Amino acid sequence: MSEHDDELDELDEFDEDFGALPPPAAPVAPVAPVFGTGDVPEGYRSGFACFVGRPNVGKSTLTNALVGQKIVITSDKPQTTRTVVRGIVHRPDGQLVLVDTPGLHRPRTLLGERLNDLVRTTWAEVDVVAVCFPADERIGPGDTFLVNELAKVRRTTKIAVATKTDLASPERIGEHLLDIAELGRTTGTEWAEIVPVSSVAGDQISLLGDLLVGLMPEGPPLYPDGDLTDAPEEILAAELIREAALDGVRDELPHSIAVVVEEMGLREGRPDDKPLLDIHANLYVERDSQKGIVIGRKGARLRQVGTAARQQIEALLGTPVYLDLHVKIAKDWQRDPRQLRKLGF
C-alpha cells in the first residue's frame, strides 16, 4: 500500500453528523411512459446539445434554466464543473438533452488536462455546440482560443449564446452581439444562431430552447418522460455537497475540494410514508491547513456545509436526508494519476 493510499484511507478525527430533518417531502408524481414507436408525433426531434465556454460564463446556470430545475451546481468560482451531467428538457415537439461540460482553460494540473480532454471529446459527439459569451465581459484571447479549437470540429452545428444579459445595458449587448459575429468571421466559424439570454431573469430562455430543438435531428425521445438527468444520484449528491463547500472559500482551496459519496441508500425499517435517505460522504482536500478551513472553528463551517448540502439534496431528490460528512486529506490529488482515479476522474 502506497503513501497516497494511506492518505486516502486515513480516517478523520472530526466526524460530524447532520441529522436534523424537516417534515417528510410530498410524494413524487408518477413518471409517464416514454413514447412507443408509433406514438411519436410527426416532426418530433431529439438530440444532444453541449454548452461550452471559458470557466464561469454561465453554462451550468443556463442548463438549470432550460431544464427548469437545478441539476448542475453553480458557483462564482472558475472551473466549478468537473463532470458531464446531462439535463433533459421535455417538450411536446421534441426532447433536448443538454450536456454540461467543464470550462476549457489553460491546464496547470493533470486534472485540468483531463477536464479539457473531456470537453473536446464531447464536442465531437453532440448534435449542437452552443458557445457561451457573457455580455458583461469583452471577447478575449480565451474566447478566440476556444472558438479556434471548436472550428476544428467540422460536422457539429455551432451556435453562439450571449449570456448574463441582465448585467449589461442594451447598447453593450448590441456591441457584444456584433463582436460575437466578428469572432465567427475571423475564426472561420459559421454560427447557425446568435441569441442573447439571461438565465437569472429568464429572458429568451424559451427562444433558445426553440432554436436548439429546431436544430436537432428528427427521431423518438432518448429518455423516458419525467427524467431530468441521467447522472447517478450519488454523483448529484456529491456535486451538491461540493457546491456547498465552495461557498465562501478562495485562493487555491476551491480547486482542491473533491467529494465522494461512499454509501447511499434508504434506511431499512422506516415506514413507506416516512422514508429517510442515508448518505455517507467524504470531502477531500490536499493539505492539513485546508482541512482546518473546511471544518472551521469547532466544526462550525462543516456544519453549515452539511446543512446547506442536505437541503439541496432533499429538494432535488424529494426525500428527507441524513448526511454523514467527513473531511479527509488526499495530498496533491490533482496531480496524482492514482488519486485522480480514486476520486473518479
Side-chain angles (χ1 to χ4, degrees), residues 80-103:
T80 297
T81 302
R82 291 178 181 162
T83 58
V84 175
V85 177
R86 292 187 176 91
I88 306 166
V89 181
H90 301 274
R91 298 162 47 111
D93 59 341
Q95 186 181 84
L96 185 62
V97 185
L98 303 173
V99 182
D100 183 61
T101 63

Side-chain angles (χ1 to χ4, degrees), residues 30-257:
V31 175
V34 70
F35 286 120
T37 305
D39 299 329
V40 180
E42 184 177 354
Y44 192 92
R45 296 178 179 273
S46 62
F48 294 84
C50 174
F51 291 125
V52 302
R54 291 180 290 105
N56 203 29
V57 296
K59 302 182 296 294
S60 298
T61 307
L62 188 54
T63 297
N64 291 335
L66 281 164
V67 173
Q69 181 172 329
K70 181 174 181 176
I71 59 165
V72 183
I73 73 169
T74 59
S75 171
D76 59 359
K77 310 297 185 299
Q79 301 168 38
T80 297
T81 302
R82 291 178 181 162
T83 58
V84 175
V85 177
R86 292 187 176 91
I88 306 166
V89 181
H90 301 274
R91 298 162 47 111
D93 59 341
Q95 186 181 84
L96 185 62
V97 185
L98 303 173
V99 182
D100 183 61
T101 63
L104 193 72
H105 61 287
R106 186 183 302 277
R108 296 180 298 172
T109 64
L110 180 58
L111 173 63
E113 293 175 6
R114 291 187 177 180
L115 295 182
N116 278 353
D117 290 342
L118 183 63
V119 174
R120 292 187 176 94
T121 300
T122 304
W123 290 351
E125 296 177 345
V126 298
D127 300 291
V128 176
V129 174
V131 188
C132 298
F133 303 95
D136 62 333
E137 299 178 23
R138 299 284 179 181
I139 300 292
D143 298 303
T144 303
F145 169 76
L146 186 150
V147 176
N148 273 320
E149 291 294 301
L150 182 58
K152 300 174 185 176
V153 184
R154 298 295 182 184
R155 293 189 296 273
T156 304
T157 302
K158 305 167 186 72
I159 73 171
V161 182
T163 59
K164 304 185 181 183
T165 56
D166 56 300
L167 301 179
S169 66
E171 294 77 13
R172 172 70 196 116
I173 295 171
E175 294 174 4
H176 192 56
L177 296 177
L178 292 175
D179 291 342
I180 292 172
E182 179 61 23
L183 179 60
R185 283 190 290 271
T186 58
T187 58
T189 302
E190 182 179 352
W191 302 122
E193 302 282 354
I194 301 177
V195 56
V197 304
S198 168
S199 301
V200 173
D203 294 340
Q204 303 218 110
I205 296 298
S206 295
L207 172 62
L208 177 60
D210 292 342
L211 296 175
L212 287 171
V213 169
L215 293 170
M216 295 297 120
E218 291 193 12
L222 302 170
Y223 291 90
D225 190 19
D227 285 6
L228 298 181
T229 179
D230 69 349
E233 291 184 348
E234 289 84 356
I235 296 295
L236 296 174
E239 287 290 273
L240 290 172
I241 294 168
R242 187 164 66 91
E243 179 185 48
L246 287 172
D247 186 30
V249 299
R250 55 188 176 85
D251 299 328
E252 81 284 357
L253 182 51
H255 308 295
S256 298
I257 293 175

Side-chain angles (χ1 to χ4, degrees), residues 195-328:
V195 56
V197 304
S198 168
S199 301
V200 173
D203 294 340
Q204 303 218 110
I205 296 298
S206 295
L207 172 62
L208 177 60
D210 292 342
L211 296 175
L212 287 171
V213 169
L215 293 170
M216 295 297 120
E218 291 193 12
L222 302 170
Y223 291 90
D225 190 19
D227 285 6
L228 298 181
T229 179
D230 69 349
E233 291 184 348
E234 289 84 356
I235 296 295
L236 296 174
E239 287 290 273
L240 290 172
I241 294 168
R242 187 164 66 91
E243 179 185 48
L246 287 172
D247 186 30
V249 299
R250 55 188 176 85
D251 299 328
E252 81 284 357
L253 182 51
H255 308 295
S256 298
I257 293 175
V259 177
V260 176
V261 171
E262 301 291 345
E263 188 177 350
M264 179 172 171
L266 290 173
R267 183 174 298 183
E268 296 182 358
R270 300 275 298 190
D272 292 341
D273 59 343
K274 293 184 178 180
L276 180 61
L277 183 65
D278 285 319
I279 300 176
H280 301 275
N282 292 329
L283 192 157
Y284 290 97
V285 292
E286 295 186 291
R287 294 191 296 280
D288 192 65
S289 60
Q290 297 172 338
K291 179 178 174 182
I293 293 172
V294 171
I295 293 175
R297 182 175 175 81
K298 296 183 178 180
R301 190 172 187 284
L302 186 60
R303 281 192 290 273
Q304 293 174 353
V305 170
T307 298
R310 177 177 53 77
Q311 292 171 348
Q312 292 282 0
I313 296 169
E314 289 172 343
L316 178 63
L317 302 183
T319 304
V321 167
Y322 175 86
L323 176 60
D324 175 34
L325 183 58
H326 303 196
V327 180
K328 297 186 178 183

